[in-house]
């Protein structure tokens, strides 16, 4: 190789290393930590600054669903993304996938990164998961932020309604999943994103997805979805789409406090489809919780 070529190559390598090291959202190798039952949980850490923001994905999703939040939130805070057991790169060694066990996954990751003050952010099913996690970590969690969840924590589900929702998934999971998720999208959702979400969620392990869905819905049948907030006396915020109504007053009957921001015209996956509106709304919710410390 000619000297000039060596010099050019060295310059390019230095520039690449500078760009990677200078970016607050530079790619991190996923890390692993065991949950309480030994199942390995995959997580990623970006940025610095307390409180730590812990992002928990929803049903049949994974940490990738928060990809459009990394650059925005890692500039001021340490940001942790994780894959719950049975999702993404985490282990699948459970016979049942419950919200309580998922809460243990979140706790294990928080302890692994050594965070003393955290705000838990959960999308969809991630809402009941972060409530469980907060119950496991008294004194460590500053508040909870639901993303298109916590519409009504005391919603009156019945076993018959749940059976009707779950049956198509049990009969043909891939087709049933697409049918289940399609109403969560809106006409304005970009077609490539729509198809990616539908295909990705339909590719989830059926046993994991069905177990988690039945457990989550069971919490509404028993009333535990609301009762947990007798123990979790923390400020709760929500950043939701306007797809479904949100019962603010009923939530306040069960929670220490509750506020909601509604983003009009958004779909259930607003953090992916509308990050330019969602990120500032989530940042505002984070700021409100920090002020209440």
């Amino acid at each position: 190789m000619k000297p000039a070529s060596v010099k050019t190559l060295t310059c390019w390598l230095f520039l690449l290393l500078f760009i990677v090291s200078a970016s607050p959202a530079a790619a991190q190798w996923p890390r692993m930590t065991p949950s309480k039952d030994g199942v390995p949980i995959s997580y990623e850490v970006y940025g610095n600054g307390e409180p730590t923001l812990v992002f928990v994905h929803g049903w049949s999703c994974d940490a990738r669903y928060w990809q459009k939040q990394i650059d925005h939130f890692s500039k001021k805070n340490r940001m942790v993304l994780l894959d719950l057991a049975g999702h993404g790169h985490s282990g699948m060694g459970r016979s049942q996938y419950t919200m309580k066990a998922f809460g243990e996954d979140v706790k294990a990751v928080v302890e692994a990164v050594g965070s003393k003050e955290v705000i838990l952010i959960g999308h969809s099913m991630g809402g009941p998961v972060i409530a469980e996690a907060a119950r496991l970590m008294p004194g460590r969690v500053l508040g909870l932020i639901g993303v298109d969840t916590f519409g009504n924590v005391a919603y009156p589900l019945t076993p018959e309604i749940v059976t009707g929702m779950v049956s198509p998934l049990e009969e043909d999971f891939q087709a049933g999943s697409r049918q289940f998720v399609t109403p969560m999208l809106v006409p304005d959702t970009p077609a490539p994103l729509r198809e990616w979400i539908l295909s990705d969620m339909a590719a989830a392990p059926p046993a994991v997805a069905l177990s988690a869905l039945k457990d989550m819905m069971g919490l509404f049948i028993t009333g535990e979805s609301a009762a947990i907030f007798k123990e979790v006396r923390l400020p709760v915020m929500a950043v939701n789409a306007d797809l479904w109504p949100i019962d603010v007053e009923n939530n306040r009957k069960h929670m220490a406090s509750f506020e909601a921001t509604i983003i009009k015209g958004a779909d259930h996956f607003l953090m992916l489809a509308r990050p330019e509106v969602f990120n500032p709304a989530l940042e505002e919710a984070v700021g409100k919780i920090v002020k209440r410390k």
Side-chain angles (χ1 to χ4, degrees):
M1 182 178 292
K2 297 180 179 179
S5 299
V6 173
K7 183 177 181 180
T8 301
L9 179 59
T10 302
C11 289
W12 276 110
L13 287 173
F14 178 82
L15 179 61
L16 178 61
L17 288 171
F18 175 79
I19 292 172
V20 170
S21 62
S23 172
Q28 304 288 320
W29 286 107
R31 311 176 192 182
M32 304 292 285
T33 193
S35 193
K36 183 179 179 180
D37 60 1
V39 172
I41 304 301
S42 175
Y43 67 98
E44 302 165 40
V45 181
Y46 299 89
N48 294 287
E50 296 297 337
T52 296
L53 308 181
V54 181
F55 289 74
V56 181
H57 62 78
W59 180 76
S60 292
C61 302
D62 56 39
R64 294 171 301 162
Y65 284 68
W66 300 112
Q67 60 186 272
K68 293 190 177 181
Q69 282 63 63
I70 296 173
D71 283 343
H72 187 96
F73 289 95
S74 64
K75 293 175 182 177
K76 296 181 180 179
N77 296 84
R78 177 160 54 172
M79 179 182 182
V80 177
L81 314 180
L82 65 111
D83 293 335
L84 298 171
H87 298 75
H89 298 289
S90 291
M92 297 179 59
R94 291 178 186 156
S95 58
Q96 291 186 311
Y97 291 83
T98 68
M99 302 306 106
K100 288 184 179 180
F102 288 149
E104 293 284 1
D105 300 344
V106 177
K107 179 186 178 185
V109 169
V110 170
E111 291 179 343
V113 299
S115 297
K116 301 302 181 184
E117 291 187 330
V118 301
I119 295 175
L120 303 180
I121 301 164
H123 172 239
S124 194
M125 183 189 77
V129 171
I130 62 175
E132 290 286 357
R135 177 159 61 177
L136 294 169
M137 297 185 288
R140 202 171 216 170
V141 181
L142 300 181
L144 309 179
I145 303 176
V147 176
D148 216 45
T149 188
F150 298 142
N152 180 357
V153 294
Y155 189 86
L157 270 184
T158 66
E160 293 73 23
I161 293 175
V162 172
T163 298
M165 296 174 70
V166 171
S167 292
L169 295 163
E170 293 178 319
E171 293 170 7
D172 183 336
F173 181 78
Q174 289 194 353
S177 176
R178 294 180 73 95
Q179 178 183 344
F180 184 68
V181 177
T182 294
M184 302 177 189
L185 303 166
V186 296
D188 288 340
T189 304
L193 177 61
R194 169 190 294 269
E195 183 55 33
W196 181 82
I197 291 170
L198 291 171
S199 298
D200 185 62
M201 295 181 70
V208 175
L210 288 167
S211 179
L213 187 62
K214 290 176 182 178
D215 182 79
M216 178 180 65
M217 291 182 171
L219 298 179
F220 288 89
I221 295 174
T222 64
E224 178 62 18
S225 58
I228 190 172
F229 290 100
K230 293 179 181 179
E231 298 179 53
V232 181
R233 306 306 293 169
L234 294 168
V236 180
M237 313 286 294
V239 181
N240 285 18
D242 60 351
L243 275 176
W244 303 290
I246 182 167
D247 195 332
V248 174
E249 293 307 316
N250 195 48
N251 281 345
R252 286 176 177 167
K253 293 177 182 178
H254 303 280
M255 299 171 173
S257 68
F258 179 77
E259 293 183 40
T261 298
I262 307 301
I263 296 178
K264 295 182 179 181
D267 67 22
H268 186 56
F269 305 90
L270 60 172
M271 66 282 196
L272 282 171
R274 299 283 301 281
E276 73 286 352
V277 180
F278 172 78
N279 287 346
L282 180 59
E283 185 175 21
E284 183 178 358
V286 168
K288 288 181 178 180
I289 290 177
V290 171
K291 287 181 180 178
R292 296 185 184 187
K293 283 178 58 177

